Amino acid sequence: MIDPFGREVSYLRVSVTDRCDFRCTYCMAENMTFLPKKDVLSLEELEAITASFIRKGVKKVRLTGGEPLVRKGIMELINNLGRYIDSGELHELTLTTNGSQLSKYAKDLYAAGVRRINVSVDTLDPHLFTMVTRWGDLSKVLEGLDAAQEAGLKIKINTVAVKGVNDHQLDEMVEWAGGRGMDLTFIETMPMGAIDELRSEKFLSLEEVKKSLSQNWTFQDTDYKTGGPADYVIVQETGQRLGFITPLSHNFCESCNRVRLTCTGMLYMCLGQNDNADLKQVIRSTNGYEKLDAAIDEAIGRKPKGHDFMIDRKNDQKPAVARHMSVTGG
Ligand code: SAM
Ligand code: SF4
């Protein structure tokens, strides 16, 4: 699949649920209204749409959410998608998780063909962790990380850098992740969905973070790319990769290879734009694959050149994109 700007679309992110067992302050309001069940694609529908993308050339699928591992029956979907890894049609099946359920699922994920996962951890301070996630328990997540590494899964940690919250602990994160043989990516907050606080007061530029970290660590340039928007360096002291996702300070759209499917079957061609295609309506109104394939082709033909994110005081009350990150899954 080639979009109008000549970019090959080979990466599909699938949000399998909008629900979550955490309520991270930058992601959700404490009182969230979740979608009614009838609006959410069944596991079979999620699989059928993902299979269409694989037929059309998608090589990498990432499951996300909400929290993908709280969706009932999720291993069924993961096992079924794992068959495309066995057949060679899919090169990578992975997920982004908050880690709360990893102790339970790590071995099954490996058995299904998953080899790498992203786990979100913003701080190693248990008290602060509960403040940021509102409902999370750091010790459970750390147990999950142990289980995942024991099962043979490679881990990349995602840390959202938030001013006045975890900005004083980022060195510690580099040391911890490096010491455990895990890559680490810092993420800038993105203006998505209404939350309970002002975003401009919490925005931290990763350019400054990188500068300050480089006083304590030696960064080696690398041209490593995961197909994601992160810019990577290698931390010489730990030998691990360190990534910086800076959607607001830089434009990473030129090399964008991905599209996103929500759990309601809406296909978003860009995380930072509202244009979408309703694949649920297509899959619920036909039996064969032709209409679905045609709807996907039509949508890829509308993939925009880039996003319009902006955080400033004027825009604080009005997020650049009204949907929460938990809808499109980041
Ligand atoms: N629940 C899983 C997790 O937390 O990893 C998967 C879904 S979560 C929406 C995916 C990633 O998006 C997480 O790393 C999270 O920290 C990040 N995220 C959520 N809201 C964000 C925001 N407004 N700006 C930047 N990153 C955000
Ligand atoms: Fe849940 Fe992930 Fe959002 Fe946190 S970032 S509330 S864990 S979906």
Side-chain angles (χ1 to χ4, degrees), residues 26-27 64-67 96-97 120 158 160 188-190 199 325:
Y26 48 75
C27 179
T64 174
E67 174 46 41
T96 302
T97 170
S120 304
N158 281 344
V160 178
E188 271 174 5
T189 51
M190 293 178 234
R199 290 189 193 272
M325 186 70 107

Side-chain angles (χ1 to χ4, degrees), residues 238-280:
T238 66
Q240 292 303 128
R241 287 185 200 103
L242 177 61
F244 297 88
I245 300 191
T246 56
L248 302 170
S249 348
H250 290 286
N251 210 322
F252 54 66
C253 305
E254 303 85 50
S255 59
C256 180
N257 61 353
R258 67 201 50 206
V259 288
R260 297 172 158 84
L261 181 70
T262 71
C263 61
T264 58
M266 306 304 277
L267 184 71
Y268 284 91
M269 286 69 84
C270 172
L271 179 65
Q273 299 277 359
N274 289 318
D275 190 28
N276 58 42
D278 184 353
L279 299 184
K280 177 174 73 182

Side-chain angles (χ1 to χ4, degrees), residues 217-223 232-237 239 242:
W217 305 94
T218 322
F219 294 161
Q220 252 173 273
D221 286 338
T222 162
D223 52 11
Y232 283 94
V233 294
I234 292 179
V235 181
Q236 217 172 45
E237 290 82 355
L242 177 61

